[in-house]
Amino acid sequence: MSKVNDATLLYKVSLNSDNENEIENDEITYNDNDDKVPLISDEQETVIRINNNESTEIQNDNFTTQTLSAPIALYNNNSLLLNSKAESSVSITDNNTQSIGYITAEKDKIKPEDIDKITPWENQDDEDIKKIELETEWTLHQAAQRGLFEAVKNLILSNKANANDKDEQNCSALHWAAINNHLEVAKFLLIHGARVDEKGGDLMATPLHWAARSGHLQMVTLLVKHHADPSIIDNQGYNALHLSVHGGYPMLALYIISLGVDVDSLDPMERTPLMWAAYLGNSLECARVLIRMGADINLVDKTKFTALHWAITSRHMDVAKAIIEAGARYDIKDEHGKTAFDWIENEGLKERYNKIVKDYKLSIEYKTGSAKDTKNKILGFLTPFVLYPVFLIIFGKLDWFFSIPLMFTLFYLLSFFIKTVLAKGGRNKMETNPIVASIYQATLFYIVINYVFVFIKNTPELWILHIMVISLIYISAHSYFVCLFHDPGNIPLLSVESRNKVIQELAEQDILDARHYCVECNIRKPIRSKHCRFCNKCVIFFDHHCPWTYNCIGYLNHRSFVTYLYTTVIGGILIFYVCLIYFSKLPIVEGSKYCLLNDRMCSILIQDPYSYANCAWLLCNICWCGFLALIQTYQIARGYTTNEAANYYKYDYLTRKEDVNLQYYKRRYYNPFDFGIIKNTIYFWCRSGYNKNINWYTIYDVPEDLNLQVIGGHEMADDSDDENIEMKDMV
């Protein structure tokens, strides 16, 4: 039986035909008013003949009529209501009063001739709708199935029906309201005595089972609030967690687990929800949620299959990868003596499986804190300090036709070293290796040495400029190391009890989704925060992950990062200026006969090639730092972060309200935190203005009044030992 969504649009259709209100084969039409949507589904071809005294079902080569699926209420002899999104069709019975039926047809098979007026149901007055609901002879179960609240209310209050009455399928009205997600009807039934754990249907399932199977999180939440038991099993031996996994609903599964249902609940075949997620493969996120919530990945069912066996045999390699990365054993044998790998027959799958296992083994060997990981990090840190002077020597001692090919060879060997050594242990290992950060540190170290022992020594008359340069170098280095070692605003983790409380609160508010909850960290995500996949932490006011600082840039170190950029650019420009003055004081001498530059350049290369190479590299760094500083300045003035600039369409609070339900690419940008260039800049540097003391750890939505003051700033959050700090109430 087809089911109709709450959002189904009904139309009042007035029929106008000279042949006893007859709707013939290809003669059915409607007026093409501009507020209409097609009345026709693409699924079937249907024709219905309506007579004054009888109902006739017509069935031929092109047309069929079927059983009830979506409501049509006939007002009188020539007026009915059509459901524009019906999924099947029925005959309409007319007894000179009112009747009920359902209709669909193929678009091209119905033409606008006999229907002269269509009025959207949504434009009808509420009183008219109530009147129609009340005057039609609905049964309680029909009304509950279709979400007709007034009809349900009338039937219950007039004692024409009882909330616990069963229909011919042994189902209660609450079952039908639950499966169709009619919350208002379900609330009314529960208030008037509907048994929340009543079993019904062929599977003897409860309303909670029906809602879980359909993925209706709000309905499940409502039923649980009325003491529904999610651990009850149906005739198949499935509880609500099994059914939510069958449907591929990760957030619903997360909510049910938070209620205390065992994440490793067993069905009659001793299969866990994770095994079902691996077998069905309809939601990788479902499998990840179960793993993150503590599912035992090495359990076996009655056939001795593990979750990995089921993922492999059903060819869901993405789920298999997640299971292996979670630490699953891949050598467990089933009752036939086969491991999961032994079940692979497809060569392509074998190659992929071998790569997954190989990557997993490497990730274990190079796990953070292991000897090999520590060794790689030390190598990554020292490499720039070793190679930097090597490049300077090659550049200074050899002619260009030797030095350039040799430097390219060294670059190739360096990339090979990075790929085969430093990147071992996983795709994120390069981001967690300090080699990129060390490039800046090595550059700063050797340029400072060059500046102190060459430039200052040979240009003592520029002492004021030297003081400025040294001051800027100090500020830049200090800001850099603050970014390197300071907490960017990592959000504290929760205990199991606090986590479950947060999940249930979000579910009750209908905002249990990836935008508001991080499954990896098991925390509620404050507004403007993001989970960093490299650091594996959620960061408040997240800007970006910076490999140069070997850390995330967030609320607590963003100003230091921008200070580092500004001072690096200004200091670099001053050093470059001193460098030019120094070079201008060098005498012109005869350069190498192979030098292709002008006489002065060739002369400088002969006398001080190391300073020349340092200044050239410095100029490159000034360019990229300057570009990044300009971008940061613009974003600060506009009041948004790098992450928000790149992904604004993913965040409802950064799009216009009327665009929230549109596809991402159609959403228009709107920033409620933009108060103009001056105010935005003052706030960034002074933390004063419209949100002076806002604690970004506890802000989950855009405050209605952005002048709102919140007790405690980030300093309070840093100093608190409360593990549930992000749940503090905003005052």
Side-chain angles (χ1 to χ4, degrees):
M1 179 179 293
S2 302
K3 298 181 178 57
V4 184
N5 189 283
D6 270 327
T8 301
L9 184 60
L10 297 180
Y11 291 88
K12 176 183 177 183
V13 182
S14 296
L15 304 179
N16 182 15
S17 173
D18 294 332
N19 189 14
E20 293 183 340
N21 293 326
E22 180 176 322
I23 306 176
E24 298 287 357
N25 298 15
D26 292 334
E27 304 294 326
I28 302 177
T29 65
Y30 65 89
N31 287 347
D32 191 17
N33 297 334
D34 43 47
D35 64 341
K36 313 297 187 297
V37 298
L39 296 179
I40 303 155
S41 164
D42 292 331
E43 305 217 355
Q44 298 173 296
E45 305 167 20
T46 303
V47 66
I48 298 174
R49 183 190 302 272
I50 303 177
N51 294 324
N52 286 337
N53 297 317
E54 61 179 329
S55 159
T56 305
E57 297 188 10
I58 298 177
Q59 181 168 348
N60 55 31
D61 293 338
N62 295 322
F63 299 96
T64 61
T65 58
Q66 296 184 359
T67 54
L68 293 177
S69 137
I72 299 174
L74 189 62
Y75 275 130
N76 48 43
N77 290 342
N78 66 349
S79 180
L80 53 83
L81 292 176
L82 294 181
N83 181 316
S84 68
K85 297 180 182 178
E87 299 174 3
S88 61
S89 59
V90 302
S91 61
I92 296 180
T93 303
D94 181 25
N95 55 3
N96 285 325
T97 55
Q98 294 175 339
S99 63
I100 300 161
Y102 305 77
I103 185 170
T104 58
E106 274 194 11
K107 287 184 179 179
D108 298 334
K109 298 298 182 181
I110 293 183
K111 303 175 183 177
E113 263 175 31
D114 295 324
I115 301 178
D116 61 3
K117 184 178 180 182
I118 303 175
T119 304
W121 172 264
E122 62 185 9
N123 292 336
Q124 298 293 317
D125 293 336
D126 289 342
E127 293 302 320
D128 289 342
I129 296 174
K130 291 180 181 179
K131 181 180 178 182
I132 297 166
E133 289 187 19
L134 294 175
E135 291 181 354
T136 304
E137 293 296 328
W138 302 102
T139 68
L140 177 63
H141 302 89
Q142 288 174 334
Q145 182 181 11
R146 292 159 181 81
L148 304 179
F149 178 75
E150 291 299 326
V152 171
K153 180 180 176 182
N154 179 61
L155 289 166
I156 296 293
L157 296 182
S158 63
N159 293 322
K160 293 180 180 178
N162 185 279
N164 291 303
D165 288 345
K166 298 287 191 70
D167 62 8
E168 63 277 5
Q169 299 180 52
N170 194 35
C171 300
S172 69
L174 186 57
H175 280 88
W176 291 112
I179 199 171
N180 290 288
N181 204 31
H182 296 309
L183 292 168
E184 189 178 20
V185 172
K187 288 178 186 176
F188 184 84
L189 292 169
L190 289 165
I191 290 171
H192 287 80
R195 288 187 287 271
V196 71
D197 286 330
E198 182 74 8
K199 291 189 174 184
D202 295 336
L203 300 178
M204 294 304 291
T206 66
L208 181 62
H209 287 135
W210 285 35
R213 189 185 293 276
S214 301
H216 299 318
L217 178 57
Q218 278 296 88
M219 180 59 71
V220 170
T221 305
L222 172 66
L223 295 171
V224 168
K225 286 180 69 175
H226 286 79
H227 311 294
D229 186 354
S231 63
I232 292 176
I233 61 173
D234 60 17
N235 277 3
Q236 291 180 299
Y238 300 139
N239 61 25
L241 180 57
H242 286 104
L243 297 175
S244 66
V245 172
H246 290 173
Y249 305 112
M251 289 303 173
L252 178 55
L254 184 70
Y255 173 69
I256 293 173
I257 294 170
S258 76
L259 299 173
V261 175
D262 184 6
V263 69
D264 290 320
S265 302
L266 301 179
D267 66 9
M269 289 297 294
E270 296 184 1
R271 291 177 183 136
T272 65
L274 181 58
M275 292 178 189
W276 277 108
Y279 170 70
L280 296 170
N282 53 1
S283 174
L284 175 60
E285 286 305 311
C286 229
R288 286 176 173 167
V289 163
L290 293 169
I291 292 170
R292 196 69 185 86
M293 297 297 283
D296 189 336
I297 49 184
N298 292 316
L299 285 179
V300 295
D301 60 15
K302 286 187 175 181
T303 63
K304 305 302 181 183
F305 263 37
T306 65
L308 184 58
H309 278 86
W310 285 113
I312 295 296
T313 54
S314 56
R315 299 189 177 186
H316 297 133
M317 299 304 292
D318 53 346
V319 181
K321 185 173 185 290
I323 293 172
I324 291 174
E325 288 178 346
R329 289 177 53 193
Y330 37 85
D331 59 347
I332 297 177
K333 295 183 179 181
D334 60 21
E335 60 184 9
H336 302 288
K338 291 184 177 182
T339 65
F341 176 79
D342 294 333
W343 285 98
I344 300 179
E345 298 178 358
N346 185 290
E347 289 299 325
L349 290 181
K350 284 185 178 181
E351 293 175 5
R352 189 176 175 194
Y353 178 84
N354 285 331
K355 185 179 185 307
I356 292 171
V357 174
K358 180 181 177 182
D359 290 344
Y360 169 69
K361 288 180 178 178
L362 283 173
S363 69
I364 295 299
E365 291 179 22
Y366 291 87
K367 187 177 181 180
T368 301
S370 67
K372 289 187 176 181
D373 179 64
T374 303
K375 174 186 172 183
N376 269 6
K377 287 181 177 178
I378 293 173
L379 287 174
F381 177 78
L382 294 178
T383 296
F385 283 91
V386 174
L387 288 183
Y388 196 101
V390 171
F391 280 114
L392 289 180
I393 293 171
I394 291 173
F395 184 83
K397 294 294 184 181
L398 302 176
D399 288 315
W400 64 270
F401 48 83
F402 284 124
S403 62
I404 292 178
L406 187 54
M407 283 193 287
F408 274 111
T409 302
L410 284 177
F411 274 120
Y412 173 78
L413 292 175
L414 177 61
S415 65
F416 181 78
F417 171 74
I418 291 173
K419 290 179 181 178
T420 58
V421 178
L422 300 187
K424 276 188 175 180
R427 63 187 179 92
N428 293 339
K429 278 299 177 182
M430 273 309 300
E431 284 76 8
T432 59
N433 192 287
I435 185 171
V436 178
S438 183
I439 291 174
Y440 168 78
Q441 297 170 42
T443 299
L444 180 65
F445 177 75
Y446 288 110
I447 285 179
V448 168
I449 290 177
N450 195 186
Y451 187 83
V452 171
F453 291 99
V454 177
F455 298 157
I456 292 179
K457 180 180 178 181
N458 290 282
T459 57
E461 70 279 7
L462 302 176
W463 61 273
I464 296 178
L465 201 58
H466 295 325
I467 293 174
M468 293 175 60
V469 168
I470 292 173
S471 299
L472 287 170
I473 289 174
Y474 171 78
I475 296 172
S476 177
H478 178 269
S479 301
Y480 173 80
F481 284 104
V482 168
C483 294
L484 186 66
F485 297 114
H486 201 284
D487 173 18
N490 297 325
I491 302 173
L493 301 181
L494 300 175
S495 66
V496 174
E497 294 76 13
S498 299
R499 177 200 70 191
N500 291 342
K501 181 182 177 183
V502 168
I503 293 171
Q504 293 164 27
E505 288 179 351
L506 293 177
E508 290 173 5
Q509 298 172 39
D510 195 21
I511 53 174
L512 182 58
D513 51 36
R515 150 74 178 86
H516 295 89
Y517 188 81
C518 176
V519 175
E520 294 297 322
C521 297
N522 278 321
I523 58 169
R524 184 177 184 182
K525 292 165 62 175
I527 197 169
R528 312 190 85 175
S529 67
K530 186 178 184 295
H531 181 85
C532 176
R533 63 189 178 94
F534 305 123
C535 300
N536 198 30
K537 294 178 181 177
C538 284
V539 179
I540 61 166
F541 218 110
F542 179 86
D543 191 82
H544 69 288
H545 179 88
C546 181
W548 296 96
T549 62
Y550 195 46
N551 199 0
C552 285
I553 304 302
Y555 184 76
L556 301 184
N557 64 357
H558 196 181
R559 281 184 298 185
S560 297
F561 177 73
V562 178
T563 301
Y564 148 69
L565 290 177
Y566 288 166
T567 52
T568 297
V569 172
I570 297 171
I573 291 173
L574 292 180
I575 292 174
F576 191 76
Y577 175 71
V578 172
C579 182
L580 293 179
I581 294 177
Y582 163 69
F583 287 150
S584 67
K585 295 175 67 175
L586 293 176
I588 297 178
V589 299
E590 184 179 355
S592 171
K593 61 181 180 179
Y594 301 110
C595 182
L596 303 178
L597 304 175
N598 60 39
D599 291 342
R600 175 163 290 281
M601 292 295 183
C602 293
S603 174
I604 294 171
L605 283 172
I606 285 293
Q607 298 177 74
D608 194 350
Y610 309 112
S611 296
Y612 186 91
N614 260 331
C615 287
W617 177 240
L618 175 64
L619 185 61
C620 293
N621 282 276
I622 290 173
C623 290
W624 77 259
C625 280
F627 180 70
L628 186 55
L630 288 175
I631 292 176
Q632 286 288 323
T633 302
Y634 177 76
Q635 291 175 174
I636 290 167
R638 292 294 306 275
Y640 57 78
T641 64
T642 301
N643 173 58
E644 291 173 340
N647 302 304
Y648 78 89
Y649 52 86
K650 295 181 181 179
Y651 303 113
D652 292 349
Y653 66 88
L654 289 178
T655 57
R656 296 182 183 274
K657 291 183 178 179
E658 59 270 25
D659 295 349
V660 168
N661 295 320
L662 298 178
Q663 295 96 329
Y664 285 161
Y665 67 89
K666 292 184 179 179
R667 293 186 174 186
R668 292 171 292 173
Y669 175 76
Y670 168 73
N671 186 7
F673 299 99
D674 184 359
F675 282 79
I677 294 174
I678 296 176
K679 287 185 178 180
N680 292 338
T681 304
I682 290 174
Y683 169 69
F684 179 82
W685 291 107
C686 303
R687 298 295 189 225
S688 63
Y690 69 89
N691 50 5
K692 177 180 179 181
N693 294 318
I694 281 187
N695 183 350
W696 290 100
Y697 289 91
T698 61
I699 301 296
Y700 304 110
D701 297 294
V702 179
E704 294 183 6
D705 179 6
L706 286 184
N707 291 301
L708 183 68
Q709 299 298 304
V710 180
I711 292 181
H714 66 268
E715 295 84 2
M716 173 181 176
D718 284 343
D719 295 336
S720 175
D721 292 327
D722 185 0
E723 64 180 357
N724 197 26
I725 193 168
E726 70 275 26
M727 292 306 298
K728 287 181 178 177
D729 292 330
M730 196 168 63
V731 189

